[in-house]
Each structure stands twice: as C-alpha cells, then as structure tokens.
Amino acid sequence: MRPPHCLHPHRSVALGKLPGKVEILDKEKPAGVQKVWDLDVETVISMSLVARSIGWLQSIPHRPIVWIRSRSYARAVPAHGPGRVALLGRGLVFSSLSLLAVQSYRWKCKHAVVYASIKVEDVKEQADYLHGREEIVKLYEFLIQYKDSEDPELLWRLSQASHGLSQLGTTGAAEKKRLIYEALHFARKALEIDESCSAAHKWYAICLSDAGDYEGAKVKIGNAYSVKDHLQRAIDLNPKDATSIHLLGLWCYMLADLPWYQAKLAAALFATPPSSTFEEALIYFEKVEEVDPNSYSANLLYLGKSFLKLKNKDLALSWLHKARDYPVRTEEDKEVHKEATKILKSLGEKI
C-alpha cells in the first residue's frame, strides 16, 4: 500500500489519553487540529514497531517537531531521531513518520476507524462498490465517518446509506425513524451546498416521503407536491436516471390508486390536492424501459399492474411474467417475485 498522500513531512502526530485519539497538528499552527485516527495505545505502539522494522522510519532524515496535547498541557519537543517514540505524562507521542505505518497496518485492525483526508473520488469509489454488493451495514459504517463533509457527492451517498439501513428487517422501529430523518438531513445539506446535484434531489424526495409517515396524513399529503418537484428536478438534471423516472411513475401510480377515504381527506385538507392517473404513471414506467431496459424488477411489476388497471390484460400478463422471472439478487427482487406470482395466480395463470 502506498503511503497516505495527505501527510505532510513537517507535521507530527499526538495520541491522547486512553482511549487514544491521534491528531495531526501543523507545527506552525497548533490550533489547526484534524482528527485522523481513533486507536488504543497498545495498537499504536505495535504499529510504530512495525514501521521501524520495515525501514520507513530510518529512510526519512528530517526531525519534525512533536506537539504534546492532553487535557492538562500542550507543548512542543523535538523528536530525537526518526520515528522515536516519546512518552510524556499519560500522553503517548510519536512523529509523523510512524503514521505511515499506522496507515499501512490499519486494514488489519478492525477497531481502528479512519478519518483521513483522502480523495473524495476514492471514498465515492469504495462507497459505490459496497452499495453495488448490497453491503448496507458496511456502507453506512464506512460513510458515517464523513458525516461532517461539505461535499454533496458524499452527502447524498450518506443519505442513501442511512435510508438503506433504515429499510433492513433487522432495524428496530425507533432506529428506523432516526435513520430516515438522518438521511433526510444529509440530502437537504447536499442540496444546500449544490442545488444542481441530481442524486441529492432524488434522495431528498425519497426521504421526505418516508418522513411523512411519522408526521400525519396532512403533512404527508402536503409533502407530495415537494416530492414530485424534487423527482422532476432530478430527472431534468439527469434524464438518464432510470431510478428517478421510475419513482415519479410510482408517485403517479400511488396517487391514482389512492383509497377513496384518503382522496376525500386530501380534498378536505387542500383546495387542489395532488392527483394523477394510471396513464401518466405508465408513461414514466415505459420511459424507464427506454432508458435502461430490463434493469429494475419493480418497474416490470408496475408496468404489469398499470396495464391491469387500464384493463389491458394481455400486456399486463406479459410484464408480470417478466417480473416473476427476473433474477432474484436483492430483497426487493424477492418481494417483486412474490407479488408478481400472487397476481398471476389470481388471474388464473399456471405457475
């Protein structure tokens, strides 16, 4: 593994009291602290020894200033020789040379959490890899380290991760609610930084809709306008985003399929309540198949359901069979398979 590119040769590292916190401090500006590691002292000592053994410490001639920080004092002392470890009071201190070993060794230490200022592109790549593998818990644990980021590309991925974790069957009711509002926060923050971020609009719409489940019928119905606006904005910014197109179709379908008592409530609460039709929903579902054919099992299912609502049984059966036969890779695919099979049986199809 290559040494971390974020390190500067004239910086040093300080480890505070147990549980230790490693910090990078600029020797000219000790106030500019940036947290990099969260390790126990024993781990740091062993890492420092590993670094010494592979020769990194001896290969760099400079002697940086080591800043000692603890609750009781903060002072600077020279590092006497490359990689030398100094123990002052209850604080363990070692030069930035040893941090190279820490970076190399961290992958083998499950209790070590990284906060390094690595490239956003690297974080995005790792996050997308985990998301593609449906490793939702690992994705969340990886991205939550960057919760204070000001980068909208990281923030919408944080929203996606929080929302994904909220949807797991193992997530309790209270935690699900917290995660949905956390996801909404990240999406909103991303939009505040960059209104032109298509994915941020999409995830804001998704999370706003889900948050409405906790705020009563009036709020949820009122939010429907905003949900549609953000989905449409996401599509305007990225016309090839099949997910946003599908979600807008789903928005239309759900309103068209609203039970009469909910439609009556909406009419009582709003002079012009949100409304749509199955024909409008079908336009979006068909658009998805134009943009990214046969890529999303739920879209195949809703094409079948929409044609069924419009009394076109032949086309409905065609799409429902496609939904049922779609390869099951995710939990959603599994649910789609079950629902498509159930509908086909109800229509007299042999399964």
mmCIF file of all heavy atoms in Angstrom, residues 302-335:
data_model
loop_
_atom_site.group_PDB
_atom_site.id
_atom_site.type_symbol
_atom_site.label_atom_id
_atom_site.label_comp_id
_atom_site.label_asym_id
_atom_site.label_seq_id
_atom_site.Cartn_x
_atom_site.Cartn_y
_atom_site.Cartn_z
ATOM 1 N N TYR A 302 -44.628 -2.917 -11.972
ATOM 2 C CA TYR A 302 -45.598 -1.816 -12.053
ATOM 3 C C TYR A 302 -46.077 -1.560 -13.474
ATOM 4 O O TYR A 302 -47.168 -1.005 -13.666
ATOM 5 C CB TYR A 302 -45.030 -0.554 -11.401
ATOM 6 C CG TYR A 302 -45.264 -0.567 -9.913
ATOM 7 C CD1 TYR A 302 -44.299 -1.047 -9.032
ATOM 8 C CD2 TYR A 302 -46.489 -0.151 -9.387
ATOM 9 C CE1 TYR A 302 -44.529 -1.094 -7.674
ATOM 10 C CE2 TYR A 302 -46.732 -0.189 -8.031
ATOM 11 C CZ TYR A 302 -45.751 -0.671 -7.174
ATOM 12 O OH TYR A 302 -46.002 -0.737 -5.817
ATOM 13 N N LEU A 303 -45.308 -1.961 -14.446
ATOM 14 C CA LEU A 303 -45.842 -1.938 -15.814
ATOM 15 C C LEU A 303 -47.012 -2.910 -15.912
ATOM 16 O O LEU A 303 -48.071 -2.575 -16.461
ATOM 17 C CB LEU A 303 -44.739 -2.318 -16.815
ATOM 18 C CG LEU A 303 -43.840 -1.187 -17.282
ATOM 19 C CD1 LEU A 303 -42.567 -1.739 -17.934
ATOM 20 C CD2 LEU A 303 -44.583 -0.277 -18.261
ATOM 21 N N GLY A 304 -46.830 -4.108 -15.376
ATOM 22 C CA GLY A 304 -47.913 -5.087 -15.378
ATOM 23 C C GLY A 304 -49.123 -4.609 -14.603
ATOM 24 O O GLY A 304 -50.269 -4.730 -15.066
ATOM 25 N N LYS A 305 -48.901 -4.036 -13.445
ATOM 26 C CA LYS A 305 -50.015 -3.554 -12.620
ATOM 27 C C LYS A 305 -50.742 -2.379 -13.273
ATOM 28 O O LYS A 305 -51.971 -2.262 -13.177
ATOM 29 C CB LYS A 305 -49.498 -3.160 -11.236
ATOM 30 C CG LYS A 305 -49.004 -4.351 -10.422
ATOM 31 C CD LYS A 305 -48.333 -3.939 -9.126
ATOM 32 C CE LYS A 305 -49.334 -3.425 -8.117
ATOM 33 N NZ LYS A 305 -48.731 -3.253 -6.774
ATOM 34 N N SER A 306 -49.981 -1.512 -13.936
ATOM 35 C CA SER A 306 -50.602 -0.366 -14.606
ATOM 36 C C SER A 306 -51.485 -0.824 -15.767
ATOM 37 O O SER A 306 -52.617 -0.346 -15.936
ATOM 38 C CB SER A 306 -49.527 0.602 -15.120
ATOM 39 O OG SER A 306 -48.797 1.150 -14.053
ATOM 40 N N PHE A 307 -50.976 -1.743 -16.579
ATOM 41 C CA PHE A 307 -51.785 -2.258 -17.687
ATOM 42 C C PHE A 307 -53.020 -2.994 -17.160
ATOM 43 O O PHE A 307 -54.093 -2.944 -17.787
ATOM 44 C CB PHE A 307 -50.946 -3.186 -18.580
ATOM 45 C CG PHE A 307 -50.112 -2.449 -19.583
ATOM 46 C CD1 PHE A 307 -48.720 -2.511 -19.544
ATOM 47 C CD2 PHE A 307 -50.725 -1.691 -20.579
ATOM 48 C CE1 PHE A 307 -47.959 -1.828 -20.483
ATOM 49 C CE2 PHE A 307 -49.965 -1.002 -21.522
ATOM 50 C CZ PHE A 307 -48.580 -1.074 -21.475
ATOM 51 N N LEU A 308 -52.876 -3.648 -16.026
ATOM 52 C CA LEU A 308 -54.018 -4.328 -15.418
ATOM 53 C C LEU A 308 -55.075 -3.313 -14.992
ATOM 54 O O LEU A 308 -56.286 -3.539 -15.204
ATOM 55 C CB LEU A 308 -53.542 -5.138 -14.214
ATOM 56 C CG LEU A 308 -54.395 -6.333 -13.776
ATOM 57 C CD1 LEU A 308 -54.601 -7.310 -14.920
ATOM 58 C CD2 LEU A 308 -53.744 -7.018 -12.581
ATOM 59 N N LYS A 309 -54.651 -2.182 -14.409
ATOM 60 C CA LYS A 309 -55.596 -1.124 -14.015
ATOM 61 C C LYS A 309 -56.290 -0.519 -15.231
ATOM 62 O O LYS A 309 -57.436 -0.075 -15.137
ATOM 63 C CB LYS A 309 -54.846 -0.024 -13.253
ATOM 64 C CG LYS A 309 -54.328 -0.435 -11.885
ATOM 65 C CD LYS A 309 -55.444 -0.572 -10.880
ATOM 66 C CE LYS A 309 -54.915 -0.824 -9.483
ATOM 67 N NZ LYS A 309 -56.020 -0.977 -8.477
ATOM 68 N N LEU A 310 -55.573 -0.534 -16.374
ATOM 69 C CA LEU A 310 -56.133 0.040 -17.602
ATOM 70 C C LEU A 310 -56.849 -1.015 -18.452
ATOM 71 O O LEU A 310 -57.155 -0.773 -19.618
ATOM 72 C CB LEU A 310 -55.012 0.714 -18.407
ATOM 73 C CG LEU A 310 -54.350 1.914 -17.714
ATOM 74 C CD1 LEU A 310 -53.119 2.374 -18.482
ATOM 75 C CD2 LEU A 310 -55.352 3.068 -17.566
ATOM 76 N N LYS A 311 -57.100 -2.191 -17.851
ATOM 77 C CA LYS A 311 -57.882 -3.262 -18.490
ATOM 78 C C LYS A 311 -57.220 -3.859 -19.726
ATOM 79 O O LYS A 311 -57.899 -4.397 -20.601
ATOM 80 C CB LYS A 311 -59.291 -2.755 -18.866
ATOM 81 C CG LYS A 311 -60.025 -2.004 -17.781
ATOM 82 C CD LYS A 311 -60.234 -2.854 -16.538
ATOM 83 C CE LYS A 311 -61.027 -2.089 -15.468
ATOM 84 N NZ LYS A 311 -61.150 -2.857 -14.209
ATOM 85 N N ASN A 312 -55.903 -3.790 -19.776
ATOM 86 C CA ASN A 312 -55.174 -4.413 -20.885
ATOM 87 C C ASN A 312 -54.494 -5.661 -20.326
ATOM 88 O O ASN A 312 -53.314 -5.656 -19.972
ATOM 89 C CB ASN A 312 -54.145 -3.443 -21.475
ATOM 90 C CG ASN A 312 -53.551 -3.945 -22.774
ATOM 91 O OD1 ASN A 312 -53.441 -5.146 -22.984
ATOM 92 N ND2 ASN A 312 -53.158 -3.023 -23.643
ATOM 93 N N LYS A 313 -55.258 -6.761 -20.297
ATOM 94 C CA LYS A 313 -54.781 -7.971 -19.626
ATOM 95 C C LYS A 313 -53.595 -8.605 -20.341
ATOM 96 O O LYS A 313 -52.666 -9.102 -19.688
ATOM 97 C CB LYS A 313 -55.930 -8.978 -19.512
ATOM 98 C CG LYS A 313 -55.555 -10.215 -18.713
ATOM 99 C CD LYS A 313 -56.741 -11.162 -18.550
ATOM 100 C CE LYS A 313 -56.331 -12.412 -17.768
ATOM 101 N NZ LYS A 313 -57.465 -13.349 -17.600
ATOM 102 N N ASP A 314 -53.598 -8.604 -21.656
ATOM 103 C CA ASP A 314 -52.520 -9.259 -22.391
ATOM 104 C C ASP A 314 -51.159 -8.632 -22.088
ATOM 105 O O ASP A 314 -50.183 -9.336 -21.800
ATOM 106 C CB ASP A 314 -52.788 -9.208 -23.897
ATOM 107 C CG ASP A 314 -53.939 -10.098 -24.313
ATOM 108 O OD1 ASP A 314 -54.281 -11.019 -23.535
ATOM 109 O OD2 ASP A 314 -54.508 -9.875 -25.406
ATOM 110 N N LEU A 315 -51.089 -7.302 -22.160
ATOM 111 C CA LEU A 315 -49.832 -6.628 -21.851
ATOM 112 C C LEU A 315 -49.488 -6.748 -20.369
ATOM 113 O O LEU A 315 -48.309 -6.878 -20.000
ATOM 114 C CB LEU A 315 -49.902 -5.157 -22.261
ATOM 115 C CG LEU A 315 -49.731 -4.877 -23.757
ATOM 116 C CD1 LEU A 315 -49.942 -3.403 -24.065
ATOM 117 C CD2 LEU A 315 -48.345 -5.324 -24.219
ATOM 118 N N ALA A 316 -50.532 -6.747 -19.543
ATOM 119 C CA ALA A 316 -50.292 -6.908 -18.107
ATOM 120 C C ALA A 316 -49.633 -8.255 -17.822
ATOM 121 O O ALA A 316 -48.644 -8.338 -17.075
ATOM 122 C CB ALA A 316 -51.610 -6.795 -17.347
ATOM 123 N N LEU A 317 -50.150 -9.313 -18.437
ATOM 124 C CA LEU A 317 -49.580 -10.643 -18.233
ATOM 125 C C LEU A 317 -48.133 -10.721 -18.717
ATOM 126 O O LEU A 317 -47.282 -11.346 -18.082
ATOM 127 C CB LEU A 317 -50.429 -11.698 -18.948
ATOM 128 C CG LEU A 317 -51.810 -11.986 -18.348
ATOM 129 C CD1 LEU A 317 -52.601 -12.923 -19.249
ATOM 130 C CD2 LEU A 317 -51.659 -12.586 -16.943
ATOM 131 N N SER A 318 -47.869 -10.088 -19.847
ATOM 132 C CA SER A 318 -46.518 -10.104 -20.408
ATOM 133 C C SER A 318 -45.508 -9.505 -19.431
ATOM 134 O O SER A 318 -44.450 -10.101 -19.170
ATOM 135 C CB SER A 318 -46.500 -9.328 -21.730
ATOM 136 O OG SER A 318 -45.178 -9.230 -22.220
ATOM 137 N N TRP A 319 -45.838 -8.346 -18.867
ATOM 138 C CA TRP A 319 -44.912 -7.689 -17.952
ATOM 139 C C TRP A 319 -44.850 -8.399 -16.600
ATOM 140 O O TRP A 319 -43.780 -8.463 -15.980
ATOM 141 C CB TRP A 319 -45.306 -6.234 -17.761
ATOM 142 C CG TRP A 319 -45.020 -5.385 -18.959
ATOM 143 C CD1 TRP A 319 -45.914 -4.836 -19.832
ATOM 144 C CD2 TRP A 319 -43.720 -5.004 -19.438
ATOM 145 N NE1 TRP A 319 -45.279 -4.151 -20.825
ATOM 146 C CE2 TRP A 319 -43.917 -4.233 -20.609
ATOM 147 C CE3 TRP A 319 -42.418 -5.242 -19.014
ATOM 148 C CZ2 TRP A 319 -42.873 -3.684 -21.345
ATOM 149 C CZ3 TRP A 319 -41.360 -4.703 -19.742
ATOM 150 C CH2 TRP A 319 -41.596 -3.938 -20.889
ATOM 151 N N LEU A 320 -45.963 -8.958 -16.168
ATOM 152 C CA LEU A 320 -45.961 -9.672 -14.890
ATOM 153 C C LEU A 320 -45.112 -10.941 -14.959
ATOM 154 O O LEU A 320 -44.421 -11.291 -13.995
ATOM 155 C CB LEU A 320 -47.397 -10.018 -14.468
ATOM 156 C CG LEU A 320 -48.246 -8.823 -14.013
ATOM 157 C CD1 LEU A 320 -49.715 -9.224 -13.901
ATOM 158 C CD2 LEU A 320 -47.726 -8.274 -12.678
ATOM 159 N N HIS A 321 -45.153 -11.621 -16.097
ATOM 160 C CA HIS A 321 -44.295 -12.791 -16.280
ATOM 161 C C HIS A 321 -42.816 -12.383 -16.258
ATOM 162 O O HIS A 321 -41.972 -13.089 -15.685
ATOM 163 C CB HIS A 321 -44.637 -13.501 -17.591
ATOM 164 C CG HIS A 321 -45.799 -14.443 -17.486
ATOM 165 N ND1 HIS A 321 -45.722 -15.632 -16.792
ATOM 166 C CD2 HIS A 321 -47.074 -14.359 -17.977
ATOM 167 C CE1 HIS A 321 -46.889 -16.256 -16.862
ATOM 168 N NE2 HIS A 321 -47.734 -15.497 -17.576
ATOM 169 N N LYS A 322 -42.499 -11.250 -16.870
ATOM 170 C CA LYS A 322 -41.118 -10.766 -16.863
ATOM 171 C C LYS A 322 -40.675 -10.437 -15.438
ATOM 172 O O LYS A 322 -39.531 -10.715 -15.053
ATOM 173 C CB LYS A 322 -40.981 -9.534 -17.749
ATOM 174 C CG LYS A 322 -41.083 -9.823 -19.243
ATOM 175 C CD LYS A 322 -40.906 -8.545 -20.051
ATOM 176 C CE LYS A 322 -40.996 -8.823 -21.550
ATOM 177 N NZ LYS A 322 -40.816 -7.579 -22.348
ATOM 178 N N ALA A 323 -41.576 -9.842 -14.675
ATOM 179 C CA ALA A 323 -41.257 -9.501 -13.284
ATOM 180 C C ALA A 323 -41.037 -10.766 -12.459
ATOM 181 O O ALA A 323 -40.100 -10.844 -11.650
ATOM 182 C CB ALA A 323 -42.373 -8.656 -12.682
ATOM 183 N N ARG A 324 -41.893 -11.756 -12.673
ATOM 184 C CA ARG A 324 -41.758 -13.010 -11.917
ATOM 185 C C ARG A 324 -40.454 -13.737 -12.260
ATOM 186 O O ARG A 324 -39.800 -14.331 -11.400
ATOM 187 C CB ARG A 324 -42.939 -13.923 -12.222
ATOM 188 C CG ARG A 324 -42.947 -15.228 -11.423
ATOM 189 C CD ARG A 324 -43.765 -16.303 -12.104
ATOM 190 N NE ARG A 324 -43.222 -16.631 -13.434
ATOM 191 C CZ ARG A 324 -43.798 -17.493 -14.267
ATOM 192 N NH1 ARG A 324 -44.940 -18.083 -13.947
ATOM 193 N NH2 ARG A 324 -43.252 -17.734 -15.441
ATOM 194 N N ASP A 325 -40.057 -13.694 -13.523
ATOM 195 C CA ASP A 325 -38.876 -14.430 -13.981
ATOM 196 C C ASP A 325 -37.572 -13.647 -13.827
ATOM 197 O O ASP A 325 -36.506 -14.159 -14.174
ATOM 198 C CB ASP A 325 -39.053 -14.822 -15.453
ATOM 199 C CG ASP A 325 -40.236 -15.758 -15.666
ATOM 200 O OD1 ASP A 325 -40.624 -16.437 -14.696
ATOM 201 O OD2 ASP A 325 -40.780 -15.793 -16.785
ATOM 202 N N TYR A 326 -37.657 -12.426 -13.311
ATOM 203 C CA TYR A 326 -36.462 -11.604 -13.152
ATOM 204 C C TYR A 326 -35.523 -12.253 -12.127
ATOM 205 O O TYR A 326 -35.975 -12.726 -11.074
ATOM 206 C CB TYR A 326 -36.848 -10.199 -12.696
ATOM 207 C CG TYR A 326 -35.736 -9.179 -12.793
ATOM 208 C CD1 TYR A 326 -35.528 -8.463 -13.964
ATOM 209 C CD2 TYR A 326 -34.900 -8.929 -11.706
ATOM 210 C CE1 TYR A 326 -34.516 -7.513 -14.059
ATOM 211 C CE2 TYR A 326 -33.884 -7.992 -11.786
ATOM 212 C CZ TYR A 326 -33.696 -7.299 -12.966
ATOM 213 O OH TYR A 326 -32.686 -6.376 -13.039
ATOM 214 N N PRO A 327 -34.203 -12.286 -12.402
ATOM 215 C CA PRO A 327 -33.259 -12.897 -11.441
ATOM 216 C C PRO A 327 -33.345 -12.232 -10.073
ATOM 217 O O PRO A 327 -33.348 -11.002 -9.969
ATOM 218 C CB PRO A 327 -31.887 -12.644 -12.084
ATOM 219 C CG PRO A 327 -32.175 -12.464 -13.540
ATOM 220 C CD PRO A 327 -33.517 -11.802 -13.622
ATOM 221 N N VAL A 328 -33.427 -13.050 -9.036
ATOM 222 C CA VAL A 328 -33.536 -12.529 -7.673
ATOM 223 C C VAL A 328 -32.136 -12.285 -7.110
ATOM 224 O O VAL A 328 -31.393 -13.223 -6.822
ATOM 225 C CB VAL A 328 -34.319 -13.497 -6.770
ATOM 226 C CG1 VAL A 328 -34.333 -12.993 -5.332
ATOM 227 C CG2 VAL A 328 -35.743 -13.662 -7.297
ATOM 228 N N ARG A 329 -31.793 -11.009 -6.976
ATOM 229 C CA ARG A 329 -30.470 -10.638 -6.447
ATOM 230 C C ARG A 329 -30.575 -9.855 -5.136
ATOM 231 O O ARG A 329 -29.638 -9.826 -4.350
ATOM 232 C CB ARG A 329 -29.703 -9.800 -7.476
ATOM 233 C CG ARG A 329 -29.466 -10.502 -8.808
ATOM 234 C CD ARG A 329 -28.546 -9.679 -9.702
ATOM 235 N NE ARG A 329 -28.346 -10.276 -11.009
ATOM 236 C CZ ARG A 329 -29.061 -9.989 -12.088
ATOM 237 N NH1 ARG A 329 -30.045 -9.096 -12.008
ATOM 238 N NH2 ARG A 329 -28.809 -10.582 -13.238
ATOM 239 N N THR A 330 -31.681 -9.171 -4.942
ATOM 240 C CA THR A 330 -31.851 -8.320 -3.763
ATOM 241 C C THR A 330 -33.147 -8.671 -3.047
ATOM 242 O O THR A 330 -33.979 -9.435 -3.556
ATOM 243 C CB THR A 330 -31.899 -6.834 -4.166
ATOM 244 O OG1 THR A 330 -33.103 -6.593 -4.927
ATOM 245 C CG2 THR A 330 -30.692 -6.456 -5.028
ATOM 246 N N GLU A 331 -33.312 -8.091 -1.861
ATOM 247 C CA GLU A 331 -34.558 -8.297 -1.111
ATOM 248 C C GLU A 331 -35.749 -7.761 -1.890
ATOM 249 O O GLU A 331 -36.837 -8.346 -1.855
ATOM 250 C CB GLU A 331 -34.458 -7.612 0.257
ATOM 251 C CG GLU A 331 -33.564 -8.331 1.255
ATOM 252 C CD GLU A 331 -34.056 -9.726 1.586
ATOM 253 O OE1 GLU A 331 -35.276 -9.905 1.768
ATOM 254 O OE2 GLU A 331 -33.216 -10.640 1.652
ATOM 255 N N GLU A 332 -35.550 -6.650 -2.576
ATOM 256 C CA GLU A 332 -36.639 -6.084 -3.373
ATOM 257 C C GLU A 332 -37.023 -7.027 -4.513
ATOM 258 O O GLU A 332 -38.215 -7.224 -4.784
ATOM 259 C CB GLU A 332 -36.245 -4.720 -3.939
ATOM 260 C CG GLU A 332 -37.391 -4.034 -4.674
ATOM 261 C CD GLU A 332 -37.034 -2.647 -5.158
ATOM 262 O OE1 GLU A 332 -35.876 -2.446 -5.577
ATOM 263 O OE2 GLU A 332 -37.908 -1.768 -5.120
ATOM 264 N N ASP A 333 -36.028 -7.626 -5.174
ATOM 265 C CA ASP A 333 -36.320 -8.599 -6.228
ATOM 266 C C ASP A 333 -37.155 -9.752 -5.685
ATOM 267 O O ASP A 333 -38.062 -10.257 -6.356
ATOM 268 C CB ASP A 333 -35.016 -9.151 -6.818
ATOM 269 C CG ASP A 333 -34.226 -8.111 -7.594
ATOM 270 O OD1 ASP A 333 -34.830 -7.123 -8.055
ATOM 271 O OD2 ASP A 333 -32.999 -8.293 -7.727
ATOM 272 N N LYS A 334 -36.841 -10.165 -4.462
ATOM 273 C CA LYS A 334 -37.570 -11.260 -3.835
ATOM 274 C C LYS A 334 -39.038 -10.884 -3.619
ATOM 275 O O LYS A 334 -39.948 -11.686 -3.879
ATOM 276 C CB LYS A 334 -36.910 -11.611 -2.497
ATOM 277 C CG LYS A 334 -37.383 -12.913 -1.877
ATOM 278 C CD LYS A 334 -36.678 -13.174 -0.548
ATOM 279 C CE LYS A 334 -35.182 -13.337 -0.745
ATOM 280 N NZ LYS A 334 -34.509 -13.674 0.536
ATOM 281 N N GLU A 335 -39.270 -9.650 -3.139
ATOM 282 C CA GLU A 335 -40.643 -9.187 -2.918
ATOM 283 C C GLU A 335 -41.400 -9.037 -4.242
ATOM 284 O O GLU A 335 -42.593 -9.355 -4.324
ATOM 285 C CB GLU A 335 -40.621 -7.854 -2.161
ATOM 286 C CG GLU A 335 -40.123 -7.962 -0.729
ATOM 287 C CD GLU A 335 -40.958 -8.919 0.104
ATOM 288 O OE1 GLU A 335 -42.208 -8.853 0.015
ATOM 289 O OE2 GLU A 335 -40.375 -9.750 0.818
#
